[in-house]
Amino acid sequence: MKLYINDANILMDIVQLDIVDSFLSLNAALYTTDFVFAELNQLQQSAMQRQELIRIKPDGEDLASIFELFTNINGLSIEDCSVLHFAEKMKGCLISGDGKLRKAAKARHIEVRGIIYIMEQIKTQGSLDLVTCVDKLNELKTINERLPMDEIDPRIEAWRLEINNQR
């Protein structure tokens, strides 16, 4: 089973897209850290307050490693460093859309994915029907302008073709 360590921006997008149930039903072990969970607003926390999303509480040794990362990697927050630390420690896949965090993860040879990958997993695992997946990708383009549109648009077109072929 795949292990995902989720950053706040991913969880925020999932709540805003109203795909929490589909995300939490993925065939994966879903984690975030207490640091990241604290970044979410009350509505987002309520939506993500489920047993399927495991919140990691760092111990003293973890905190020392997180603060070491924070000290040594320019431009990352404590929250970023917490998910980076646990992705490395647990040998998980870091799920984030933060460019600096993604770059730091890749430099440490940590697999890193984003919200587009999560949407692909939701589609592949059948958590949402194909038409809804296309709608959610289109909605994602409007709520998060920093995403790579050159990756989203071809998926939308491919998924639309898939819909047409099913008819």
Side-chain angles (χ1 to χ4, degrees):
M1 179 181 287
K2 200 81 170 159
L3 190 145
Y4 299 147
I5 311 293
N6 296 278
D7 192 16
N9 56 48
I10 298 297
L11 300 176
M12 291 171 184
D13 283 350
I14 287 166
V15 170
Q16 192 164 358
L17 288 170
D18 194 24
I19 57 171
V20 173
D21 290 336
S22 298
F23 170 70
L24 294 176
S25 70
L26 288 175
N27 184 22
L30 303 171
Y31 291 87
T32 194
T33 66
D34 276 350
F35 287 114
V36 166
F37 198 78
E39 282 188 287
L40 304 178
N41 67 34
Q42 191 172 10
L43 172 72
Q44 294 161 340
Q45 286 182 357
S46 293
M48 288 292 177
Q49 189 81 27
R50 311 260 192 88
Q51 67 183 17
E52 296 90 352
L53 180 64
I54 300 164
R55 288 174 33 201
I56 306 167
K57 299 175 185 350
D59 63 21
E61 191 175 302
D62 292 322
L63 288 173
S65 295
I66 291 165
F67 285 115
E68 184 179 330
L69 289 170
F70 180 68
T71 303
N72 294 324
I73 303 175
N74 215 7
L76 294 187
S77 67
I78 290 291
E79 296 84 2
D80 294 337
C81 292
S82 74
V83 290
L84 181 63
H85 165 73
F86 283 106
E88 187 169 45
K89 178 180 178 178
M90 299 169 70
K91 297 180 178 25
C93 177
L94 177 62
I95 309 293
S96 178
D98 181 294
K100 289 179 183 178
L101 179 55
R102 292 173 64 90
K103 183 178 177 182
K106 288 176 184 176
R108 298 175 83 82
H109 307 289
I110 297 169
E111 181 182 5
V112 61
R113 303 290 183 145
I115 189 68
I116 299 168
Y117 174 80
I118 293 299
M119 287 302 304
E120 287 175 341
Q121 295 308 300
I122 287 171
K123 174 196 168 282
T124 300
Q125 294 181 27
S127 298
L128 286 176
D129 64 82
L130 195 50
V131 171
T132 305
C133 286
V134 169
D135 291 343
K136 294 299 178 181
L137 271 185
N138 275 314
E139 187 178 343
L140 183 61
K141 288 171 51 174
T142 65
I143 66 171
N144 192 338
E145 296 172 358
R146 296 182 307 166
L147 293 172
M149 298 306 163
D150 60 329
E151 289 185 33
I152 295 176
D153 289 333
R155 278 176 184 78
I156 290 172
E157 289 309 311
W159 293 1
R160 281 187 178 143
L161 281 173
E162 221 176 299
I163 292 167
N164 291 336
N165 290 337
Q166 290 176 356
R167 292 182 178 159

